[in-house]
Amino acid sequence: MEELRVIISGGGTGGHIFPAVSIANAVKALRPDAKILFVGALGRMEMQRVPAAGYEIKGLPICGFDRKNLLKNFKVLYKIWKSQRMAKSIIKDFKPQVAVGVGGYASGPTLNKAAAMGIPCLIQEQNSYAGVTNKLLAKKAEKICVAYEGMERFFPAEKIILTGNPVRQALLDTKISQEDAIKSFGLDPTKKTILLVGGSLGARTINESVLQHLDLIKAANAQFIWQTGKYYSAEIAERLKGENIPNLKVTDFITDMGAAYKAADLVISRAGASSISEFCLIGKPVILVPSPNVAEDHQTKNALALANRDAAIYVKDADAPATLLELAIKTVADEQKLKSLSENVLKLALPDSADIIAKEVIKLAEKK
């Protein structure tokens, strides 16, 4: 059997990097001999996260178009041209039999060049609304792995496989009980627990929703784990000075998300594709507050895909500071509502995504 060589490209956010690493791990599990090379964008998160996961990565000097200042785009065009040339030489040196794109800047030049050099390409689209890079690459890809139904709006139907999004395996393997999980945050296992997360950097709106209603939190018969994000933690510590709120656990970053989800009866979160896939697989009742600052407002579309099936509660970002906390406290006390949210979100789960995608990757490589 010939040695398997795979290039995986993309990144920019955790939402692109987790799936990319999960796919790599799944390929390795099926073919331990596989050589895997990542191609990312210089200066972006993948340049740290991928080596930390044990894989080699090469960086391209690529960035997005500046939609406000058009003159700056001459520099961007030069970077794209340079990235295309670098991608070509990386592919020539590495000689992959297959290229995988997970979205994000770097996947554009890498998959364009791979396709031009006759290497079969597979793309993975995490969102319910296809990203710009993937829409452009769809013509060149042989297979397109998606996480939502109805993606024929963006991609040729005959190339689509509904696989779901690969998620962080550690979340699914959490063995800790809910009681122990709650105790690990120094809270009371007899109380209902609400977890607020805003992604690794934090979410200003979710944070403001808490800060404006500390009185509601103090009076609540529930307790809160609040992940503020590193970006906001100093400012929040300052604003909480002199406040004594025993039922509020504040942390800038949660290392063990498996324990945090296990502790929670209800989660409040942004609506990134990776997070949503996680909620589906673990069956967590969730209130989604989509970030309005993402391309094509895809988080709102992700959130509505669940809310329209009563599998999540949707709160608009602009309404959150006024309504979010009261709604959360009311929801967490409603056993029937929590139960139906959990049952409905579980129905949308697509398990074993990374394995299914890895098998498609290997099939394409063998075809070559």
Side-chain angles (χ1 to χ4, degrees):
M1 207 153 146
E2 189 186 354
E3 181 180 69
L4 177 64
R5 304 177 76 80
V6 183
I7 271 188
I8 300 180
S9 184
T13 63
H16 290 312
I17 299 163
F18 294 135
V21 170
S22 298
I23 293 167
N25 292 342
V27 168
K28 274 283 199 202
L30 292 166
R31 288 285 299 270
D33 66 307
K35 293 275 180 288
I36 298 175
L37 176 66
F38 279 76
V39 180
L42 288 170
R44 300 296 296 230
M45 207 191 280
E46 58 265 29
M47 300 310 292
Q48 279 82 48
R49 292 277 180 91
V50 168
Y55 294 100
E56 189 191 345
I57 187 165
K58 301 243 190 263
L60 303 179
I62 185 125
C63 57
F65 278 101
D66 192 320
R67 292 177 192 182
K68 293 191 181 79
N69 185 343
L70 295 177
L71 287 173
K72 283 192 181 156
N73 287 326
F74 284 116
K75 205 193 250 169
V76 177
L77 288 169
Y78 170 70
K79 284 181 171 176
I80 291 174
W81 174 78
K82 193 173 170 191
S83 296
Q84 298 262 18
R85 290 195 54 171
M86 282 172 71
K88 187 175 181 179
S89 92
I90 290 168
I91 293 165
K92 266 192 165 149
D93 290 345
F94 185 69
K95 304 186 178 60
Q97 295 117 337
V98 60
V100 179
V102 293
Y105 302 137
S107 62
T110 310
L111 269 76
N112 266 324
K113 280 294 163 210
M117 293 158 82
I119 291 154
C121 297
L122 174 146
I123 57 181
Q124 198 251 331
E125 174 55 64
Q126 294 95 21
N127 291 294
S128 61
Y129 193 89
V132 179
T133 308
N134 278 348
K135 279 196 277 197
L136 293 171
L137 291 171
K139 296 180 194 61
K140 301 178 172 156
E142 301 208 9
K143 291 276 185 256
I144 302 168
C145 297
V146 301
Y148 289 89
E149 283 164 8
M151 298 301 284
E152 301 78 21
R153 295 178 293 159
F154 308 105
F155 302 131
E158 68 281 0
K159 295 181 178 183
I160 294 176
I161 311 172
L162 183 65
T163 59
N165 281 325
V167 302
R168 296 174 278 188
Q169 201 47 46
L171 290 183
L172 307 179
D173 298 342
T174 303
K175 298 282 181 278
I176 191 170
S177 69
Q178 185 175 26
E179 185 176 335
D180 289 341
I182 292 173
K183 282 182 182 163
S184 75
F185 287 96
L187 293 169
D188 176 356
T190 63
K191 281 193 167 160
K192 290 283 189 207
T193 306
I194 297 172
L195 169 68
L196 300 112
V197 276
S200 46
L201 295 172
R204 179 178 286 283
T205 305
I206 291 177
N207 291 343
E208 276 305 320
S209 306
V210 177
L211 288 166
Q212 290 178 26
H213 297 286
L214 294 174
D215 53 332
L216 276 179
I217 288 182
K218 285 177 191 162
N221 189 25
Q223 55 195 359
F224 300 80
I225 300 168
W226 177 21
Q227 187 237 316
T228 61
K230 290 198 158 61
Y231 189 73
Y232 301 103
S233 59
E235 175 197 339
I236 286 169
E238 193 53 45
R239 283 173 72 174
L240 290 176
K241 260 203 182 125
E243 294 278 2
N244 175 30
I245 314 175
N247 62 336
L248 177 64
K249 164 81 177 153
V250 185
T251 174
D252 64 337
F253 185 72
I254 295 172
T255 21
D256 187 353
M257 276 314 287
Y261 284 155
K262 196 64 165 213
D265 295 286
L266 176 68
V267 180
I268 293 171
S269 169
R270 287 303 201 192
S274 288
S275 303
I276 285 186
S277 298
E278 291 168 357
F279 301 136
C280 293
L281 285 162
I282 59 179
K284 264 302 144 185
V286 60
I287 298 178
L288 295 169
V289 186
S291 168
N293 320 317
V294 291
E296 289 112 359
D297 197 23
H298 67 244
Q299 284 204 5
T300 297
K301 296 173 177 104
N302 291 347
L304 288 171
L306 268 69
N308 293 338
R309 295 188 167 110
D310 290 326
I313 296 171
Y314 160 60
V315 172
K316 205 170 156 198
D317 188 81
D319 301 339
T323 63
L324 179 62
L325 261 171
E326 201 175 333
L327 175 67
I329 292 167
K330 199 179 98 192
T331 305
V332 85
D334 183 343
E335 281 298 340
Q336 215 32 59
K337 184 68 178 165
L338 292 178
K339 190 167 177 276
S340 78
L341 284 170
S342 178
E343 285 168 359
N344 291 337
V345 82
L346 273 170
K347 287 178 195 156
L348 303 179
L350 293 163
D352 308 322
S353 305
D355 276 349
I356 299 166
I357 296 168
K359 285 175 182 153
E360 291 298 330
V361 170
I362 292 167
K363 249 193 267 176
L364 282 180
E366 286 169 350
K367 215 165 88 180
K368 167 134 172 81

